[in-house]
Amino acid sequence: DAKTTQPPSMDCAEGRAANLPCNHSTISGNEYVYWYRQIHSQGPQYIIHGLKNNETNEMASLIITEDRKSSTLILPHATLRDTAVYYCIVRVPGRGSTLGRLYFGRGTQLTVWP
Amino acid sequence: NAGVTQTPKFQVLKTGQSMTLQCAQDMNHNSMYWYRQDPGMGLRLIYYSASEGTTDKGEVPNGYNVSRLNKREFSLRLESAAPSQTSVYFCASSEARGPSSEGYTFGSGTRLTVV
């Protein structure tokens, strides 16, 4: 799986958009970009994933650059409950012993302040 | 719908004691995983089971064993606990039907202290 680089911490005012960057310059053609978050003391929570097109769901939007070497997770209207560590992961999805694993780095601590 | 259930939530062990962490999922997922998380670190994969009847080592398997009892249950055993195994343990499951259904579901964790 390709390595990712994320800033260790960011902050954002409540109600504003939070834009979390991730660099994955060694990403290969069949690797997807995944985002998870972990609220303090809880298990990680899946947010969104994508291959090369921008994606949006009820939680967030994912913007992937055209060369796929970086991406941005956007929380459009951050709330205090969005304070968490956000993990960007690049991997090949699918079945099988070598493809099913999910490797986490240290992520970005997002703090949303009132 | 409970998702992934881990027991116990908290445990204190003495060095050399053994214990089994239990994990069960009710989503009919094929794949299950055990991770550990240490302060200031991301999650590290201990063992995983891609499907019922199979298990494989992850990044940090030493000192642990696993059993995929059936499709629902995946247990993690510490035969002789060491202080270095003090950590928060997370179980997860996934159903890898393809890229459109790749979200993992995690349990709420077991906080283990070895003294």
Side-chain angles (χ1 to χ4, degrees):
Chain A
D1 296 342
K3 288 188 66 174
T4 62
T5 303
Q6 299 178 253
S9 64
M10 296 183 65
D11 58 19
C12 174
E14 189 176 22
R16 305 296 292 270
N19 299 299
L20 290 87
C22 180
N23 287 322
H24 31 79
S25 58
T26 61
I27 192 171
S28 60
N30 60 346
E31 288 183 309
Y32 282 65
V33 180
Y34 292 78
W35 284 85
Y36 282 74
R37 73 180 183 183
Q38 185 175 25
I39 297 171
H40 182 62
S41 299
Q42 298 181 21
Q45 176 189 23
Y46 166 81
I47 302 173
I48 198 168
H49 75 280
L51 180 62
K52 52 184 175 182
N53 296 321
N54 298 337
E55 302 287 345
T56 296
N57 63 20
E58 64 279 3
M59 290 182 68
S61 294
L62 174 61
I63 307 298
I64 302 173
T65 58
E66 192 170 343
D67 63 7
R68 304 209 319 124
K69 293 185 177 182
S70 65
S71 60
T72 301
L73 178 74
I74 301 172
L75 308 178
H77 305 286
T79 71
L80 299 179
R81 288 174 293 181
D82 291 322
T83 293
V85 178
Y86 287 77
Y87 296 98
C88 169
I89 299 162
V90 174
R91 60 181 285 267
V92 179
R95 297 180 185 273
S97 60
T98 59
L99 299 181
R101 297 168 292 179
L102 198 65
Y103 288 107
F104 290 78
R106 297 197 179 192
T108 296
Q109 170 67 59
L110 174 68
T111 302
V112 181
W113 44 276
Chain B
N1 197 352
V4 177
T5 303
Q6 291 183 236
T7 56
K9 294 190 183 304
F10 300 93
Q11 183 71 50
V12 178
L13 288 179
K14 292 182 179 179
T15 298
Q17 285 186 315
S18 63
M19 80 161 294
T20 300
L21 282 64
Q22 306 287 353
C23 175
Q25 52 94 6
D26 62 1
M27 297 167 287
N28 203 36
H29 285 171
N30 280 316
S31 301
M32 298 185 73
Y33 313 83
W34 276 105
Y35 289 86
R36 62 176 287 175
Q37 185 172 34
D38 301 305
M41 304 283 288
L43 282 76
R44 292 184 292 170
L45 182 66
I46 305 172
Y47 269 95
Y48 62 100
S49 172
S51 60
E52 186 179 355
T54 69
T55 60
D56 286 284
K57 296 178 180 180
E59 298 172 86
V60 289
N62 291 344
Y64 305 95
N65 286 300
V66 290
S67 295
R68 184 73 183 267
L69 304 171
N70 47 55
K71 192 171 185 179
R72 290 187 64 248
E73 298 172 288
F74 188 38
S75 62
L76 179 72
R77 183 161 178 84
L78 287 70
E79 291 290 351
S80 179
S84 61
Q85 294 179 304
T86 294
S87 188
V88 181
Y89 292 85
F90 289 101
C91 176
S93 70
S94 71
E95 181 54 62
R97 292 196 186 97
S100 64
S101 59
E102 271 294 320
Y104 282 46
T105 301
F106 283 81
S108 58
T110 295
R111 283 146 187 82
L112 175 67
T113 301
V114 183
V115 297

